[in-house]
Amino acid sequence: MLRLVLVFSLLFTLCLSSSAQTCSTFTSFSNNLAYSSCKDLPYLNSSIYWNYNSSSGSLQIAYRHAGITTSNWVAWAINPFGLQPAMIRAQALVAFQLSNGSMRVYTSQITSYTTTLPEDKLQYDVPDLTATYANADFIIYATLALPSNTTTINQVWQEGPVSNDNPGAHPLATANTNSKGTLDLISSPGPSRQPGTNSTAPNASASRSSGRMLTWVLLRFWLTMLCGWKLRHVMLF
């Protein structure tokens, strides 16, 4: 029983350490870009990374959707018309893996709640658009040409099933219907690490240090309890 408690304590501690990780700790971008800002999104295990030139309106993004299988599609979108409703008229970037293993990534304008995400040209020019899938993560890379001096955007992100190489309707769970919000392109914090360096954001480093300290304290406590139990066991028997 005591050993079982020890195992659960260690697993719980590992979960705490994982949850302390932020977008700033991830640097495995296949395009080798360094992003000046990032934000952990509150639903669907997603993060958005970006570089933005307000004078030209050029927005470089990497949308990461973690912990997902290739039987799903993912999408990130801007809705220039607002978030009520968030889905209709959203300008979406869509990605999923085809049955032959190749990646399908394209743009789609959302025009109805029954959409199957057909390919369509967006309101914004998208000169660069690629996507990758590795280690249960989809990442969409894109450059979008926004109106100059744009400061905030309405963003929507989503996931849904793929069947016969075609995207299907997304679930209506709370996480799916709440996957929307505004993004401040100018003042949002959270720069990611430069590729090839070991530096991390101070908050992320502090979180990991706290997680390691908590792990060590719990491990010493349970080992002390376990060793004491074993000693009493030998003395009694």
Side-chain angles (χ1 to χ4, degrees):
M1 179 65 181
L2 191 57
R3 292 178 181 177
L4 186 61
V5 172
L6 175 59
V7 169
F8 277 114
S9 296
L10 291 175
L11 288 175
F12 178 71
T13 304
L14 289 174
C15 289
L16 286 178
S17 295
S18 295
S19 64
Q21 302 223 347
T22 66
C23 61
S24 61
T25 66
F26 182 83
T27 59
S28 300
F29 297 114
S30 64
N31 61 2
N32 295 319
L33 276 180
Y35 293 93
S36 60
S37 300
C38 73
K39 183 179 179 67
D40 290 305
L41 302 177
Y43 299 99
L44 301 181
N45 297 320
S46 298
S47 305
I48 184 72
Y49 304 76
W50 72 95
N51 294 320
Y52 180 56
N53 185 322
S54 61
S55 60
S56 66
S58 177
L59 175 65
Q60 293 178 316
I61 67 102
Y63 168 68
R64 180 186 178 216
H65 200 116
I68 193 168
T69 70
T70 54
S71 60
N72 292 272
W73 56 264
V74 302
W76 181 84
I78 297 175
N79 193 328
F81 302 99
L83 294 173
Q84 299 297 333
M87 181 175 173
I88 303 302
R89 297 198 289 182
Q91 313 288 300
L93 312 175
V94 184
F96 59 91
Q97 192 174 83
L98 297 171
S99 55
N100 63 9
S102 63
M103 189 64 65
R104 172 105 161 95
V105 56
Y106 61 95
T107 58
S108 179
Q109 287 205 50
I110 312 301
T111 57
S112 74
Y113 289 108
T114 58
T115 182
T116 55
L117 301 174
E119 185 169 357
D120 197 3
K121 184 177 174 62
L122 300 189
Q123 175 178 317
Y124 311 109
D125 288 334
V126 185
D128 298 305
L129 180 61
T130 60
T132 61
Y133 180 81
N135 302 317
D137 289 359
F138 275 109
I139 302 180
I140 298 176
Y141 302 97
T143 301
L144 299 96
L146 305 183
S148 60
N149 298 315
T150 297
T151 58
T152 61
I153 57 174
N154 301 310
Q155 63 172 341
V156 187
W157 61 100
Q158 198 54 261
E159 68 179 32
V162 173
S163 178
N164 297 321
D165 287 345
N166 291 299
H170 69 74
L172 297 178
T174 300
N176 298 88
T177 57
N178 284 342
S179 293
K180 58 187 177 181
T182 58
L183 181 66
D184 187 336
L185 298 175
I186 305 299
S187 60
S188 293
S192 62
R193 290 184 294 175
Q194 300 293 323
T197 68
N198 293 322
S199 60
T200 59
N203 289 342
S205 179
S207 296
R208 287 198 302 277
S209 296
S210 298
R212 287 194 295 268
M213 179 65 71
L214 181 58
T215 301
W216 176 240
V217 170
L218 284 176
L219 183 58
R220 288 186 63 183
F221 172 76
W222 285 117
L223 285 176
T224 301
M225 293 286 291
L226 183 60
C227 291
W229 177 83
K230 284 184 175 179
L231 181 59
R232 289 193 298 272
H233 184 81
V234 171
M235 293 175 66
L236 290 173
F237 295 94

